Each structure stands twice: as C-alpha cells, then as structure tokens.
Amino acid sequence: SARIFKFTGGKNWKLCTIYTAGAFPGVLISMFLCLNIFLTLYGSAKRVAFFTIFLAFFLWICVASPLVFLGSFLGFKRDVMEVPTRTNQIARVVPPYNPFLDSNLCSLAIRIVPFSTICIEINFLMEAIWLHQYYFLMGYLLVITIVVGVICALLSMVMCYIRLCSEDHRWWWKSFCDTATCGVWFFLYSIWFVVMRMNLTGVLPIIVYFTYMAMMSLAAGLYCGSVSFLSTLWFVKTIYRSVKLD
C-alpha cells in the first residue's frame, strides 16, 4: 500500500499507514466486540472471555501495527514505480462504447466466476464449521485459495484489456471491484445455506451466524480484489512497455 500510495503522488504516508493497519482489522474487531457484548447481555455461554479479547487487541496494537509501520517506512524509502510511457496530466474523455461492459450487470456476471470455482469447497467448509462435521482437506483448501487468486487475476486482466481497447482508462477501481464483490456472492450463499441446510431457532444464533459470515465475506472480497488490482497493474505496465512510441 505504501508503494502504490507513493506511486499515485501521496505525501502523508503516516495517514496511509494508519488506514492500512487499522481499517480491515478494526472493522473485524469492532464487529466481534459488538457480537460479544450482545452475547454477554444475553448471558450466552459462547461469549468470549475478556482476557482473550485483550490478547487479540494487544496483538493488533503491539505486533501487527508496528510491522505495518515498518513495512510502510521501507516501502516509502524505495524508488517510485516507473511507468513505461509518458502519461497526460489531464484525463482523456472516454468515448461511448458497449454499455453492457460498463454496467453493473457485466460486473455481476464476472463476480460469480471466481465464486463458482470454490462453491463446493465452501459447502464442505461451512458444513464443518456450522454442522459440526470434520474437515481434513487443509492442503486442498490452500490449493483452492491459490486457484481462486489465479482466476481473479486472469479475469481482471481480460476485462482491463477489453476496456483499454475501448479507450477506457478508468481501470483502477474497476479492476478491484470486478472480483472484490465475490464476497457478496459468498454472503448470498451463506443466506441460502442457513435457509436450506440449517435449522436455527431464535434471534441469537442467527445474529452470531451472519456476523461471522459477514467477516468471512469481507475477507474473501478483499483478497480477490487485491489480487485482481495488483495483477492488472502488472499487466498494464507489461503491455505498455511493449508499445513503440515515436
């Protein structure tokens, strides 16, 4: 994040580091704390002890965050990433092209492709977590995770190439969003799973289930989106390095 922030002309690297260290872990810890407070008020035996919460907070503040600051400091010390061609300071007007490629329907169709490769594995994993079954395929889960990353990278590069051929230079956020919302499909699948496969009674189990599934969906979306963006950035630099300009 530090190198990309410097590449885009950012100056306040400390603020970028704070956001990097606190945004994603902070959201997860906040959701977990709210859930634990709710469980405590209900007197549930599934609430987490205060020492465990303090230990997680300590690891975040005293271990993870200093490492993020160290990585950002080293990243800003490195040279700015070079671009293979000169770019204009004023963005060009994007000509009209196929409206389907620029619509949310196209993105929605793209987002289901990475999820479709792991839906069976997700079913096994959720059965192990929520239906108290055994899960032994940790190595296979790692392979599936890598395969999903490769598929996200290929999809984002293909879509970026199609947009660049249509003279659409706005690929930065689109490359991230094309596959980041795979987490939305993950969450929708969790809704189907709780309706069709589980028999939850009461408000408390449903709140616990959807809180944890929201955290998992957020993590999956950030993973897919980050892989897609970094792959697309490498792809754009590679193809423009091969362009011969007078």
Side-chain angles (χ1 to χ4, degrees), residues 37-70:
I37 292 174
F38 188 79
L39 292 175
T40 303
L41 293 177
Y42 261 78
S44 174
K46 295 183 179 181
R47 65 183 183 272
V48 181
F50 175 77
F51 177 76
T52 304
I53 299 176
F54 174 78
L55 182 61
F57 188 80
F58 175 81
L59 292 175
W60 174 35
I61 298 298
C62 300
V63 178
S65 297
L67 291 177
V68 172
F69 270 89
L70 177 61

Side-chain angles (χ1 to χ4, degrees), residues 14-246:
K14 295 180 180 179
L15 184 61
C16 172
T17 306
I18 292 174
Y19 284 151
T20 304
F24 178 60
V27 170
L28 295 186
I29 291 180
S30 299
M31 295 174 64
F32 183 76
L33 285 177
C34 292
L35 177 62
N36 195 64
I37 292 174
F38 188 79
L39 292 175
T40 303
L41 293 177
Y42 261 78
S44 174
K46 295 183 179 181
R47 65 183 183 272
V48 181
F50 175 77
F51 177 76
T52 304
I53 299 176
F54 174 78
L55 182 61
F57 188 80
F58 175 81
L59 292 175
W60 174 35
I61 298 298
C62 300
V63 178
S65 297
L67 291 177
V68 172
F69 270 89
L70 177 61
S72 297
F73 176 77
L74 296 177
F76 269 95
K77 285 295 183 180
R78 299 187 63 180
D79 297 332
V80 181
M81 290 187 294
E82 297 181 356
V83 293
T85 58
R86 292 179 299 175
T87 57
N88 296 326
Q89 296 297 325
I90 300 177
R92 294 180 57 184
V93 178
V94 179
Y97 63 102
N98 190 345
F100 176 75
L101 296 176
D102 199 31
S103 63
N104 295 327
L105 183 61
C106 179
S107 299
L108 188 64
I110 296 171
R111 294 160 192 167
I112 198 174
V113 176
F115 177 77
S116 63
T117 61
I118 59 172
C119 60
I120 298 178
E121 185 65 24
I122 288 178
N123 181 71
F124 292 152
L125 186 62
M126 292 182 65
E127 286 180 351
I129 295 175
W130 300 109
L131 300 181
H132 308 289
Q133 298 182 9
Y134 292 102
Y135 188 83
F136 300 101
L137 304 176
M138 293 302 176
Y140 183 67
L141 180 61
L142 176 61
V143 173
I144 291 297
T145 304
I146 297 174
V147 170
V148 170
V150 173
I151 293 175
C152 291
L154 294 176
L155 281 174
S156 62
M157 288 188 286
V158 170
M159 292 304 302
C160 178
Y161 181 76
I162 294 175
R163 293 186 178 110
L164 290 177
C165 290
S166 302
E167 300 184 26
D168 187 359
H169 55 81
R170 302 166 301 178
W171 60 268
W172 290 75
W173 278 108
K174 289 182 179 180
S175 64
F176 179 84
C177 295
D178 279 342
T179 56
T181 43
C182 176
V184 176
W185 286 102
F186 190 11
F187 191 76
L188 293 177
Y189 181 82
S190 68
I191 297 176
W192 175 87
F193 189 86
V194 72
V195 172
M196 303 300 296
R197 303 293 303 276
M198 301 181 66
N199 187 20
L200 297 180
T201 56
V203 179
L204 184 61
I206 295 177
I207 293 177
V208 173
Y209 174 82
F210 281 113
T211 301
Y212 282 117
M213 294 310 303
M215 295 166 66
M216 295 172 63
S217 302
L218 179 61
L222 287 178
Y223 167 72
C224 295
S226 301
V227 171
S228 298
F229 172 76
L230 295 176
S231 303
T232 307
L233 179 61
W234 171 83
F235 173 73
V236 172
K237 292 175 62 178
T238 301
I239 62 174
Y240 276 97
R241 192 176 292 115
S242 303
V243 175
K244 304 297 182 182
L245 298 176
D246 295 332

